[in-house]
Amino acid sequence: MLRAALPLLGLPLAGAGAAEEPTQEPGSWGEPPPGLTLFRWQWHEVEAPYLVALWILVASLAKIVFHLSRKVTSLVPESCLLILLGLVLGGIVLAVAKKAEYQLEPGTFFLFLLPPIVLDSGYFMPSRLFFDNLGAILTYAVVGTLWNAFTTGAALWGLQQAGLVAPRVQAGLLDFLLFGSLISAVDPVAVLAVFEEVHVNETLFIIVFGESLLNDAVTVVLYKVCNSFVEMGSANVQVTDYLKGVASLFVVSLGGAAVGLVFAFLLALTTRFTKRVRIIEPLLVFLLAYAAYLTAEMASLSAILAVTMCGLGCKKYVEANISHKSRTAVKYTMKTLASCAETVIFMLLGISAVDSSKWAWDSGLVLGTLFFILFFRALGVVLQTWMLNQFRLVPLDKIDQVVMSYGGLRGAVAFALVILLDRTKVPAKDYFVATTIVVVFFTVIVQGLTIKPLVKWLKVKRSEHHKPTLNQELHEHTFDHILAAVEDVVGHHGYHYWRDRWEQFDKKYLSQLLMRRSAYRIRDQIWDVYYRLNIRDAISFVDQGGHVLSSTGLTLPSMPSRNSVAETSVTNLLRESGSGACLDLQVIDTVRSGRDREDAVMHHLLCGGLYKPRRRYKASCSRHFISEDAQERQDKEIFQQNMKRRLESFKSTKHNICFTKNKPRTRKASRKKDGVANAEATNGKPPRDLGFQDTAAVILTVESEEEEESDSSETEKEDDEGIIFVARATSEVLQEGKFSGSLEICPSPRIIPPSPTCAEKELPWKSGQGDLAVYVSSETTKIVPVDMQTGWNQSISSLESLASPPCTQAPTLTRLPPHPLGTEEPQAPLDLSSDPRPSFAFPPSLAKAGRSRSESSADISQQQELQPLMGHKNHTHLSPGTANSHWCIQFNRGGRL
Amino acid sequence: MLFLKVGGEERWGSGSWLLARPLAFGPRVTGRPRLQSRRRERLGPPGSTPGSAMGSRSSHAALIPDVENIRRETGFSQASLLRLYHRFRALDRSKKGYLSRADLQQIGALAVNPLGDRIIDSFFPDGSQRVDFSGFVRVLAHFRPIDDDTGVRDPKQPEPLNSRTNKLRFAFQLYDLDQDGKISRHEMLQVLRLMVGVQVTEEQLESITDRTVQEADEDGDGAVSFLEFTKSLEKMDIEQKMSIRILK
């Protein structure tokens, strides 16, 4: 018994199993060693797990080999290749060992190989699609399977009565019904393996696949009922037994689903509290899902249904609760396990077929079964579809029906069930085994091979993968609400009504209960799409290997490409500007040579572009947190830099962000006046005509990594908080005077001058120091190195100085000591960002959150270090007299640009 | 479960169809006039807004007044019309023969619907305060499935009210509050505010709005015109997503 269990145990943790096994029972192999031996061969200790690991290794290697040739895999489904490989391997084993070994054991299959596949498919099931088509899926799964089982069984019995099946097949009607029940069920593993490569449209896929998952309950019930009837003997079966059989259908299916949902609930609830032990999150997912499977199996309920429901039910909440990395881990582990199990299943199927001692051939039975399962499947599909189409909004057309009929693949479930039959009770078992093997091989190999050409030939609507857009997501929600409302108006409480109801319930109670608060707060589908789009943009941008300053002609993958000046490289703009004529006489002596300017630009570019580690990380040795190594950290920071820059180049029309009501009116008024004065003062400037839109501003959203915050932050709130950088053209601020006051609430902006070039240091007229001044909030400093900030601001500024007329920049100096030029100083047009309060507005809440971080003390000290560099430097060397010209210089440069 | 539910409803529907049989010819017989009407409608302006014409017809005299005209225009089957008429009468509590805003607002679930108010508004175009049965049906006709009962599609003769364009236009009007033919940024923000949960902050909302508008906005005017709206949804199966099966 233990011997039998060992390979089973070893399977799911195959890799680890081989290594751990020897240490588990070190002393179990009795006799004390005669002495110290240098070398000991202990094959028997590790045999079982070793073999399991070896088989998986072989299967994986085979997979690699298959995929070496794209041509082969595009023509032949992997499942076919694996079965063939299994046949070959089985033949070798048979030839070497003279007996068939390593077969597909039903125990192994049901306890270890099947669950990962079902969990994978349940967890990644597109739930919306699934529920949209639930009616059809349930019909096919329940009615279809019952139909298939009874018709096939009865027809085979008829065949036997007609004398077409050899008399040595000793089976009565009940035996044939039993056989019919196990051969009728469409197999999820086979369907998945074949349909994943044939990309039919989603509706068709979900119907066939959903059917194959949900029909498990029916198959299990039918199989068990028929089996017990056969064992009881048909004479002893009473009416109550039939009634019990019908009742058990409901018990098994609903019970299985209930078990799954209970475990889904538990799983979601558990992950809500894993904030501090992120590392076990993936494990929890697998453990509880597996527990659901085993529980259902224990109570002889439909285990497949249970684990499907568990995956389907928990996904939304689990995904919201667990960290990003755990999500990836869950995804990959699940896919790996499923693919592993699938590979092993098909290979073992092939191997098992070699063992001729188990099966006995009867041509009449085999051919009859093949014909009947195909015929009755097709007939059943046509009949059910006709019935369903009376109710369906989008009827399933003939082509869909052909694919559905043809896609009814049988697989390992049928094989495992037929192996489980008791030969003493079912004398025809060997014939059934042979027939099942042929049916499975035929459906997987022949149908699997031909379904792709068939789909092509019939021109079945393929699935089209288009990336989600915000618009689609938003409008889809709108449509849902519209339909729900129209159903209300019509007074018909149909599908949309109930879905709407469910969503409200979910939002009100379930999500609140099952999601941690921070996750719940930001969990919104539209926001989610937005977030993912941003991430994708950033990633694809980084993948392109470029960054804003060096690559030209950037296009956003998620947005329709259009000519946007803001997306062209800053460098180019700077260079182009060199040829601009300067019309302002006052600035004549401050015009730098092209060389000079390029040097300066280059210098600042490098300042901004080079990576400078800013943070100091504590060494972390905790086993409970994955400590990021230095490389990873650098990657992350570089990624963030790049992403930031990338997003920076978005052109957008951004309006006010933080808008406060209790702002000093007088100040606003005076500022407005100043603005007007400035506008007058700068009237003579050359018209800016570079095709920019007036409002070139920047939205920048950097989602802080959950991970890095989870160990640093105490407040749950900030866990998933995005940091939003908003830059806004000042012209708007002026236009909407009321908003200018809002800038005061922005958290202490600071001025951080970039390291000036030598020329800039020594020759004040060359410098344009003021315009390179940069305000950085605590938030920004936290994420991006300070120098990065300057680079950022530079690039924005050079964009914006072109984008908006310098004259309209709002004089919004509030923090700096008032001095005569205070209001004019930041208007240096070369970089608007020297005027950052209009440009960067941090939501107060975010700022607060930022300060509350435990890290923030470090930030503050860092900022204090920087303080001396900030601010006054720019102003002190300006006397009122020079200031004017200085201002003009800047303005003029902007104009030229 | 769900399927059974739907089946039950359908049976109820066919029950009312039995009721309707003495009144009219039945759906099979009415197939031809409907085809004719479709042809006739095709000549008219395709984008006519629901309820803009035919406002004067009073509809409480007979059981369904003008049933032929309404059916021709909307394409509803006799049974559906009768069912809708019963619903109309049920909503019209004080039996005044038309519906007011209050009548629709009293529908419980509509109050919870984030777009409920806007959808109610769409029943009252041009600031009118009442909607009669034909106007009521005409709005609902947008959600009639495009294909016929038999499932055979007839691509050559698009229905005026439940065509893809009209379905889209209906949705578009829900966004376009000031009816200037464009969804401005502000209008988009308002819709998003309704749709997105309270948990998303205003700043995030604004960024989403910006991105949404940018995404759809092709001519760069900072607003989404109907053409751009259509284009942003061209990959979506509007015919399916904006149809309700029972409104055949």
Side-chain angles (χ1 to χ4, degrees), chain A residues 321-355:
Chain A
N321 282 338
I322 64 181
S323 74
H324 186 71
K325 283 179 182 167
S326 301
R327 236 173 286 162
T328 315
V330 166
K331 186 176 167 188
Y332 273 92
T333 318
M334 221 176 251
K335 292 282 177 207
T336 309
L337 284 181
S339 142
C340 229
E342 191 186 284
T343 312
V344 169
I345 285 175
F346 282 115
M347 208 173 67
L348 288 184
L349 260 183
I351 294 177
S352 311
V354 175
D355 181 13

mmCIF file of all heavy atoms in Angstrom, chain A residues 321-355:
data_model
loop_
_atom_site.group_PDB
_atom_site.id
_atom_site.type_symbol
_atom_site.label_atom_id
_atom_site.label_comp_id
_atom_site.label_asym_id
_atom_site.label_seq_id
_atom_site.Cartn_x
_atom_site.Cartn_y
_atom_site.Cartn_z
ATOM 1 N N ASN A 321 -6.280 40.093 -3.947
ATOM 2 C CA ASN A 321 -5.621 40.088 -2.649
ATOM 3 C C ASN A 321 -4.122 39.831 -2.729
ATOM 4 O O ASN A 321 -3.346 40.483 -2.051
ATOM 5 C CB ASN A 321 -6.251 39.002 -1.770
ATOM 6 C CG ASN A 321 -7.561 39.440 -1.192
ATOM 7 O OD1 ASN A 321 -7.831 40.646 -1.094
ATOM 8 N ND2 ASN A 321 -8.389 38.495 -0.825
ATOM 9 N N ILE A 322 -3.752 38.882 -3.542
ATOM 10 C CA ILE A 322 -2.353 38.484 -3.495
ATOM 11 C C ILE A 322 -1.492 39.485 -4.249
ATOM 12 O O ILE A 322 -1.990 40.266 -5.060
ATOM 13 C CB ILE A 322 -2.148 37.060 -4.049
ATOM 14 C CG1 ILE A 322 -2.517 36.989 -5.520
ATOM 15 C CG2 ILE A 322 -2.943 36.070 -3.265
ATOM 16 C CD1 ILE A 322 -2.345 35.605 -6.089
ATOM 17 N N SER A 323 -0.235 39.410 -3.978
ATOM 18 C CA SER A 323 0.654 40.395 -4.562
ATOM 19 C C SER A 323 0.900 40.061 -6.026
ATOM 20 O O SER A 323 0.571 38.982 -6.509
ATOM 21 C CB SER A 323 1.985 40.414 -3.819
ATOM 22 O OG SER A 323 2.721 39.266 -4.167
ATOM 23 N N HIS A 324 1.481 41.024 -6.664
ATOM 24 C CA HIS A 324 1.718 40.864 -8.097
ATOM 25 C C HIS A 324 2.588 39.655 -8.380
ATOM 26 O O HIS A 324 2.334 38.882 -9.296
ATOM 27 C CB HIS A 324 2.371 42.128 -8.613
ATOM 28 C CG HIS A 324 2.532 42.161 -10.083
ATOM 29 N ND1 HIS A 324 1.459 42.302 -10.931
ATOM 30 C CD2 HIS A 324 3.622 42.039 -10.855
ATOM 31 C CE1 HIS A 324 1.887 42.270 -12.167
ATOM 32 N NE2 HIS A 324 3.192 42.115 -12.158
ATOM 33 N N LYS A 325 3.582 39.495 -7.568
ATOM 34 C CA LYS A 325 4.500 38.386 -7.809
ATOM 35 C C LYS A 325 3.834 37.052 -7.528
ATOM 36 O O LYS A 325 4.071 36.069 -8.222
ATOM 37 C CB LYS A 325 5.745 38.541 -6.955
ATOM 38 C CG LYS A 325 6.659 39.574 -7.547
ATOM 39 C CD LYS A 325 7.879 39.772 -6.713
ATOM 40 C CE LYS A 325 8.729 40.854 -7.342
ATOM 41 N NZ LYS A 325 9.768 41.306 -6.449
ATOM 42 N N SER A 326 3.026 37.038 -6.493
ATOM 43 C CA SER A 326 2.311 35.803 -6.219
ATOM 44 C C SER A 326 1.404 35.449 -7.375
ATOM 45 O O SER A 326 1.228 34.282 -7.712
ATOM 46 C CB SER A 326 1.480 35.950 -4.953
ATOM 47 O OG SER A 326 2.283 36.253 -3.868
ATOM 48 N N ARG A 327 0.821 36.474 -7.968
ATOM 49 C CA ARG A 327 -0.058 36.245 -9.100
ATOM 50 C C ARG A 327 0.711 35.551 -10.219
ATOM 51 O O ARG A 327 0.253 34.580 -10.805
ATOM 52 C CB ARG A 327 -0.607 37.582 -9.597
ATOM 53 C CG ARG A 327 -2.102 37.641 -9.620
ATOM 54 C CD ARG A 327 -2.569 39.030 -9.965
ATOM 55 N NE ARG A 327 -2.394 39.946 -8.848
ATOM 56 C CZ ARG A 327 -2.391 41.270 -8.965
ATOM 57 N NH1 ARG A 327 -2.539 41.827 -10.140
ATOM 58 N NH2 ARG A 327 -2.216 42.025 -7.912
ATOM 59 N N THR A 328 1.874 36.086 -10.475
ATOM 60 C CA THR A 328 2.699 35.471 -11.517
ATOM 61 C C THR A 328 3.065 34.049 -11.128
ATOM 62 O O THR A 328 3.029 33.139 -11.956
ATOM 63 C CB THR A 328 3.973 36.294 -11.713
ATOM 64 O OG1 THR A 328 3.604 37.665 -11.759
ATOM 65 C CG2 THR A 328 4.654 35.913 -12.992
ATOM 66 N N ALA A 329 3.408 33.885 -9.873
ATOM 67 C CA ALA A 329 3.805 32.548 -9.425
ATOM 68 C C ALA A 329 2.655 31.563 -9.587
ATOM 69 O O ALA A 329 2.834 30.456 -10.088
ATOM 70 C CB ALA A 329 4.250 32.601 -7.969
ATOM 71 N N VAL A 330 1.476 31.997 -9.166
ATOM 72 C CA VAL A 330 0.305 31.119 -9.294
ATOM 73 C C VAL A 330 0.091 30.752 -10.756
ATOM 74 O O VAL A 330 -0.105 29.594 -11.111
ATOM 75 C CB VAL A 330 -0.944 31.819 -8.729
ATOM 76 C CG1 VAL A 330 -2.200 31.092 -9.151
ATOM 77 C CG2 VAL A 330 -0.867 31.892 -7.229
ATOM 78 N N LYS A 331 0.181 31.762 -11.573
ATOM 79 C CA LYS A 331 -0.094 31.532 -12.990
ATOM 80 C C LYS A 331 0.886 30.520 -13.567
ATOM 81 O O LYS A 331 0.485 29.535 -14.193
ATOM 82 C CB LYS A 331 0.021 32.866 -13.733
ATOM 83 C CG LYS A 331 -0.373 32.777 -15.181
ATOM 84 C CD LYS A 331 -0.326 34.158 -15.813
ATOM 85 C CE LYS A 331 -0.401 34.070 -17.313
ATOM 86 N NZ LYS A 331 -0.170 35.360 -17.931
ATOM 87 N N TYR A 332 2.149 30.743 -13.312
ATOM 88 C CA TYR A 332 3.137 29.873 -13.938
ATOM 89 C C TYR A 332 3.120 28.478 -13.344
ATOM 90 O O TYR A 332 3.226 27.493 -14.062
ATOM 91 C CB TYR A 332 4.530 30.490 -13.835
ATOM 92 C CG TYR A 332 4.769 31.401 -14.988
ATOM 93 C CD1 TYR A 332 4.474 32.737 -14.910
ATOM 94 C CD2 TYR A 332 5.226 30.886 -16.195
ATOM 95 C CE1 TYR A 332 4.635 33.564 -15.992
ATOM 96 C CE2 TYR A 332 5.392 31.703 -17.286
ATOM 97 C CZ TYR A 332 5.101 33.050 -17.173
ATOM 98 O OH TYR A 332 5.252 33.850 -18.255
ATOM 99 N N THR A 333 2.980 28.415 -12.024
ATOM 100 C CA THR A 333 2.956 27.090 -11.420
ATOM 101 C C THR A 333 1.770 26.302 -11.938
ATOM 102 O O THR A 333 1.874 25.120 -12.263
ATOM 103 C CB THR A 333 2.865 27.220 -9.891
ATOM 104 O OG1 THR A 333 3.727 28.268 -9.483
ATOM 105 C CG2 THR A 333 3.256 25.946 -9.230
ATOM 106 N N MET A 334 0.637 26.985 -12.008
ATOM 107 C CA MET A 334 -0.558 26.306 -12.465
ATOM 108 C C MET A 334 -0.386 25.809 -13.892
ATOM 109 O O MET A 334 -0.713 24.667 -14.216
ATOM 110 C CB MET A 334 -1.728 27.265 -12.388
ATOM 111 C CG MET A 334 -2.992 26.629 -11.883
ATOM 112 S SD MET A 334 -4.259 27.852 -11.716
ATOM 113 C CE MET A 334 -4.394 27.982 -9.966
ATOM 114 N N LYS A 335 0.132 26.670 -14.719
ATOM 115 C CA LYS A 335 0.312 26.272 -16.114
ATOM 116 C C LYS A 335 1.330 25.136 -16.214
ATOM 117 O O LYS A 335 1.151 24.200 -16.998
ATOM 118 C CB LYS A 335 0.794 27.473 -16.942
ATOM 119 C CG LYS A 335 -0.224 28.571 -17.097
ATOM 120 C CD LYS A 335 -1.262 28.225 -18.151
ATOM 121 C CE LYS A 335 -2.317 29.305 -18.241
ATOM 122 N NZ LYS A 335 -3.598 28.792 -18.725
ATOM 123 N N THR A 336 2.369 25.238 -15.435
ATOM 124 C CA THR A 336 3.397 24.198 -15.491
ATOM 125 C C THR A 336 2.830 22.854 -15.058
ATOM 126 O O THR A 336 3.003 21.841 -15.735
ATOM 127 C CB THR A 336 4.565 24.572 -14.569
ATOM 128 O OG1 THR A 336 4.971 25.887 -14.880
ATOM 129 C CG2 THR A 336 5.713 23.618 -14.749
ATOM 130 N N LEU A 337 2.131 22.886 -13.937
ATOM 131 C CA LEU A 337 1.572 21.633 -13.435
ATOM 132 C C LEU A 337 0.595 21.042 -14.440
ATOM 133 O O LEU A 337 0.615 19.842 -14.723
ATOM 134 C CB LEU A 337 0.865 21.874 -12.102
ATOM 135 C CG LEU A 337 1.763 22.051 -10.889
ATOM 136 C CD1 LEU A 337 0.928 22.246 -9.650
ATOM 137 C CD2 LEU A 337 2.656 20.837 -10.727
ATOM 138 N N ALA A 338 -0.257 21.898 -14.971
ATOM 139 C CA ALA A 338 -1.274 21.402 -15.889
ATOM 140 C C ALA A 338 -0.630 20.812 -17.137
ATOM 141 O O ALA A 338 -0.998 19.731 -17.598
ATOM 142 C CB ALA A 338 -2.239 22.524 -16.259
ATOM 143 N N SER A 339 0.338 21.537 -17.640
ATOM 144 C CA SER A 339 0.976 21.064 -18.860
ATOM 145 C C SER A 339 1.736 19.771 -18.605
ATOM 146 O O SER A 339 1.726 18.840 -19.414
ATOM 147 C CB SER A 339 1.886 22.170 -19.387
ATOM 148 O OG SER A 339 3.041 21.643 -19.915
ATOM 149 N N CYS A 340 2.351 19.702 -17.445
ATOM 150 C CA CYS A 340 3.053 18.489 -17.031
ATOM 151 C C CYS A 340 2.091 17.308 -16.965
ATOM 152 O O CYS A 340 2.327 16.244 -17.539
ATOM 153 C CB CYS A 340 3.591 18.739 -15.630
ATOM 154 S SG CYS A 340 5.267 18.315 -15.438
ATOM 155 N N ALA A 341 1.003 17.542 -16.275
ATOM 156 C CA ALA A 341 0.037 16.465 -16.093
ATOM 157 C C ALA A 341 -0.518 16.020 -17.434
ATOM 158 O O ALA A 341 -0.656 14.815 -17.701
ATOM 159 C CB ALA A 341 -1.092 16.940 -15.183
ATOM 160 N N GLU A 342 -0.809 16.996 -18.269
ATOM 161 C CA GLU A 342 -1.366 16.667 -19.573
ATOM 162 C C GLU A 342 -0.378 15.825 -20.381
ATOM 163 O O GLU A 342 -0.740 14.801 -20.974
ATOM 164 C CB GLU A 342 -1.673 17.972 -20.305
ATOM 165 C CG GLU A 342 -2.479 17.808 -21.544
ATOM 166 C CD GLU A 342 -2.594 19.134 -22.264
ATOM 167 O OE1 GLU A 342 -3.380 19.972 -21.809
ATOM 168 O OE2 GLU A 342 -1.884 19.335 -23.259
ATOM 169 N N THR A 343 0.867 16.255 -20.366
ATOM 170 C CA THR A 343 1.893 15.518 -21.093
ATOM 171 C C THR A 343 1.991 14.079 -20.604
ATOM 172 O O THR A 343 1.999 13.129 -21.388
ATOM 173 C CB THR A 343 3.248 16.220 -20.887
ATOM 174 O OG1 THR A 343 3.073 17.602 -21.122
ATOM 175 C CG2 THR A 343 4.279 15.681 -21.824
ATOM 176 N N VAL A 344 2.040 13.969 -19.273
ATOM 177 C CA VAL A 344 2.179 12.626 -18.709
ATOM 178 C C VAL A 344 0.959 11.774 -19.046
ATOM 179 O O VAL A 344 1.083 10.595 -19.396
ATOM 180 C CB VAL A 344 2.388 12.739 -17.189
ATOM 181 C CG1 VAL A 344 2.273 11.377 -16.550
ATOM 182 C CG2 VAL A 344 3.732 13.346 -16.906
ATOM 183 N N ILE A 345 -0.204 12.380 -18.968
ATOM 184 C CA ILE A 345 -1.426 11.611 -19.242
ATOM 185 C C ILE A 345 -1.383 11.034 -20.654
ATOM 186 O O ILE A 345 -1.611 9.847 -20.868
ATOM 187 C CB ILE A 345 -2.668 12.513 -19.081
ATOM 188 C CG1 ILE A 345 -2.952 12.751 -17.608
ATOM 189 C CG2 ILE A 345 -3.880 11.863 -19.730
ATOM 190 C CD1 ILE A 345 -4.070 13.719 -17.363
ATOM 191 N N PHE A 346 -1.072 11.868 -21.612
ATOM 192 C CA PHE A 346 -1.099 11.375 -22.984
ATOM 193 C C PHE A 346 -0.007 10.333 -23.222
ATOM 194 O O PHE A 346 -0.215 9.356 -23.928
ATOM 195 C CB PHE A 346 -0.979 12.532 -23.977
ATOM 196 C CG PHE A 346 -2.268 13.266 -24.149
ATOM 197 C CD1 PHE A 346 -2.399 14.583 -23.766
ATOM 198 C CD2 PHE A 346 -3.371 12.618 -24.673
ATOM 199 C CE1 PHE A 346 -3.596 15.243 -23.908
ATOM 200 C CE2 PHE A 346 -4.570 13.265 -24.825
ATOM 201 C CZ PHE A 346 -4.683 14.592 -24.439
ATOM 202 N N MET A 347 1.126 10.566 -22.596
ATOM 203 C CA MET A 347 2.191 9.602 -22.800
ATOM 204 C C MET A 347 1.834 8.262 -22.159
ATOM 205 O O MET A 347 2.017 7.200 -22.762
ATOM 206 C CB MET A 347 3.482 10.133 -22.198
ATOM 207 C CG MET A 347 4.713 9.612 -22.890
ATOM 208 S SD MET A 347 6.139 10.441 -22.261
ATOM 209 C CE MET A 347 6.189 9.841 -20.607
ATOM 210 N N LEU A 348 1.291 8.345 -20.965
ATOM 211 C CA LEU A 348 0.917 7.104 -20.303
ATOM 212 C C LEU A 348 -0.209 6.393 -21.050
ATOM 213 O O LEU A 348 -0.278 5.167 -21.065
ATOM 214 C CB LEU A 348 0.500 7.385 -18.858
ATOM 215 C CG LEU A 348 1.631 7.745 -17.899
ATOM 216 C CD1 LEU A 348 1.100 7.901 -16.492
ATOM 217 C CD2 LEU A 348 2.714 6.689 -17.929
ATOM 218 N N LEU A 349 -1.081 7.193 -21.649
ATOM 219 C CA LEU A 349 -2.140 6.578 -22.454
ATOM 220 C C LEU A 349 -1.528 5.726 -23.553
ATOM 221 O O LEU A 349 -1.954 4.596 -23.809
ATOM 222 C CB LEU A 349 -3.006 7.663 -23.091
ATOM 223 C CG LEU A 349 -4.334 7.999 -22.435
ATOM 224 C CD1 LEU A 349 -5.058 9.038 -23.256
ATOM 225 C CD2 LEU A 349 -5.184 6.754 -22.294
ATOM 226 N N GLY A 350 -0.521 6.318 -24.198
ATOM 227 C CA GLY A 350 0.139 5.574 -25.257
ATOM 228 C C GLY A 350 0.792 4.315 -24.725
ATOM 229 O O GLY A 350 0.671 3.229 -25.310
ATOM 230 N N ILE A 351 1.453 4.446 -23.582
ATOM 231 C CA ILE A 351 2.144 3.285 -23.018
ATOM 232 C C ILE A 351 1.156 2.202 -22.633
ATOM 233 O O ILE A 351 1.370 1.009 -22.888
ATOM 234 C CB ILE A 351 2.986 3.728 -21.801
ATOM 235 C CG1 ILE A 351 4.102 4.655 -22.263
ATOM 236 C CG2 ILE A 351 3.550 2.530 -21.085
ATOM 237 C CD1 ILE A 351 4.919 5.188 -21.142
ATOM 238 N N SER A 352 0.029 2.656 -22.034
ATOM 239 C CA SER A 352 -0.931 1.671 -21.558
ATOM 240 C C SER A 352 -1.514 0.850 -22.702
ATOM 241 O O SER A 352 -1.897 -0.307 -22.518
ATOM 242 C CB SER A 352 -2.071 2.378 -20.822
ATOM 243 O OG SER A 352 -1.558 3.271 -19.888
ATOM 244 N N ALA A 353 -1.607 1.475 -23.856
ATOM 245 C CA ALA A 353 -2.245 0.784 -24.974
ATOM 246 C C ALA A 353 -1.429 -0.415 -25.424
ATOM 247 O O ALA A 353 -1.952 -1.335 -26.050
ATOM 248 C CB ALA A 353 -2.441 1.757 -26.128
ATOM 249 N N VAL A 354 -0.144 -0.392 -25.106
ATOM 250 C CA VAL A 354 0.728 -1.461 -25.584
ATOM 251 C C VAL A 354 0.421 -2.780 -24.884
ATOM 252 O O VAL A 354 0.548 -3.849 -25.469
ATOM 253 C CB VAL A 354 2.199 -1.051 -25.362
ATOM 254 C CG1 VAL A 354 3.125 -2.184 -25.729
ATOM 255 C CG2 VAL A 354 2.509 0.167 -26.185
ATOM 256 N N ASP A 355 -0.023 -2.664 -23.656
ATOM 257 C CA ASP A 355 -0.232 -3.863 -22.852
ATOM 258 C C ASP A 355 -1.412 -4.666 -23.392
ATOM 259 O O ASP A 355 -2.567 -4.425 -23.052
ATOM 260 C CB ASP A 355 -0.492 -3.431 -21.410
ATOM 261 C CG ASP A 355 -0.705 -4.640 -20.525
ATOM 262 O OD1 ASP A 355 -0.407 -5.767 -20.976
ATOM 263 O OD2 ASP A 355 -1.165 -4.453 -19.394
#
